[in-house]
Amino acid sequence: MRWNPMPIPDAATGESVDFLDGLVTMCGHGDPMGKEGCAIHMYTCNASMGDKCFTNSDGDMLIVPQVGTLDITTEFGKIMLAPHEICVIQRGVRFNVGIPDAAAPATRGYVFELYQGHLQLPDLGPIGANGLANARDFLYPCAAFEDRDCEYTVINKFGGKFFSATTDHSPFDVVGWTGNYAPYKYDLDKFCCMNSVTFGESKYTVAQFTAAPLRSSPHHPTRIGLLYPSSQITP
């Protein structure tokens, strides 16, 4: 299945669209309430979200910019995301998307939403200890916080529906955190593809940099595992 890229909003005509308003669902399957399935979206935006943030209670979001740079502020700090990079924001994490370059505000890209579990690195198996995407190349946000009293709008996606609430301060006032449940980004130029062409091309699993783990199905008598889409690089 293919589709043409969405048109980028033209600031010259006065059209102002932020990341959330420019998010369009292209396809999907499953049910976020049952925590099974996924969805694929596209986004186009040319304006920052301002005093507004988004949190997704349905699943993890893998953001893949195609055009333009995104300045993502989370409760854990900031991530500057450019083309050739990917970013994963987990379920329940609040974030705001800004446009850092006012001279070139046009941005466009893809979002993969996973309802079940979390994205993780695939097992390397016979590849060994190194190859594909190395864990050391995944970067946590740069530490940052803001102590600001203002009317802030929090938009939450739950069960495929959107809800909004207002607070009297910025939600990005977290000074410190610990653990490993935090957003991260990865530079795709650091990916090491493993391939063999001795007897033809290898399967695409040699180009896999994130995946969702297998899960047994409660609806099948033999409990056959279900494999959800993975993120891959095809050289």
Side-chain angles (χ1 to χ4, degrees):
M1 181 172 61
R2 298 183 180 181
W3 55 82
N4 292 328
M6 296 170 53
I8 298 176
D10 187 0
T13 63
E15 190 176 8
S16 179
V17 179
D18 65 28
F19 175 83
L20 192 56
D21 293 333
L23 194 64
V24 177
T25 302
M26 308 304 293
C27 61
H29 79 95
D31 178 17
M33 297 300 288
K35 292 294 181 284
E36 287 191 2
C38 61
I40 297 175
H41 318 276
M42 284 197 70
Y43 72 85
T44 57
C45 61
N46 64 349
S48 299
M49 291 176 63
D51 289 339
K52 179 172 68 174
C53 70
F54 178 62
T55 176
N56 189 353
S57 297
D58 288 339
D60 290 3
M61 299 179 71
L62 169 68
I63 303 174
V64 186
Q66 179 216 351
V67 177
T69 300
L70 301 179
D71 183 6
I72 303 176
T73 301
T74 75
E75 297 165 288
F76 301 84
K78 286 182 169 290
I79 294 176
M80 194 68 70
L81 187 67
H84 288 227
E85 296 179 329
I86 59 101
C87 172
V88 172
I89 300 179
Q90 291 91 345
R91 179 186 293 112
V93 175
R94 297 178 180 180
F95 67 97
N96 171 289
V97 178
I99 305 297
D101 189 357
T107 62
R108 180 172 60 201
Y110 304 87
V111 177
F112 171 70
E113 183 181 8
L114 178 68
Y115 302 145
Q116 172 193 313
H118 300 288
L119 291 168
Q120 64 184 49
L121 290 177
D123 294 332
L124 294 182
I127 292 177
N130 302 295
L132 304 185
N134 294 310
R136 63 178 177 270
D137 293 325
F138 287 78
L139 305 178
Y140 281 138
C142 294
F145 76 96
E146 57 183 32
D147 185 10
R148 188 162 58 91
D149 293 331
C150 61
E151 184 174 309
Y152 214 99
T153 302
V154 180
I155 298 177
N156 176 234
K157 179 175 175 287
F158 179 76
K161 299 180 180 180
F162 291 86
F163 303 87
S164 67
T166 57
T167 66
D168 58 1
H169 65 282
S170 168
F172 306 119
D173 55 359
V174 179
V175 176
W177 57 276
T178 185
N180 56 13
Y181 190 80
Y184 55 83
K185 80 169 187 176
Y186 176 72
D187 183 352
L188 297 176
D189 290 334
K190 296 181 178 180
F191 183 81
C192 179
C193 185
M194 312 297 293
N195 196 17
S196 173
V197 292
T198 306
F199 297 101
E201 295 184 8
S202 301
K203 294 186 179 298
Y204 287 130
T205 51
V206 297
Q208 185 180 73
F209 62 90
T210 60
L214 287 168
R215 175 181 174 182
S216 297
S217 171
H219 308 296
H220 197 285
T222 58
R223 303 185 68 82
I224 296 178
L226 300 176
L227 178 62
Y228 282 90
S230 58
S231 304
Q232 300 174 343
I233 299 174
T234 304

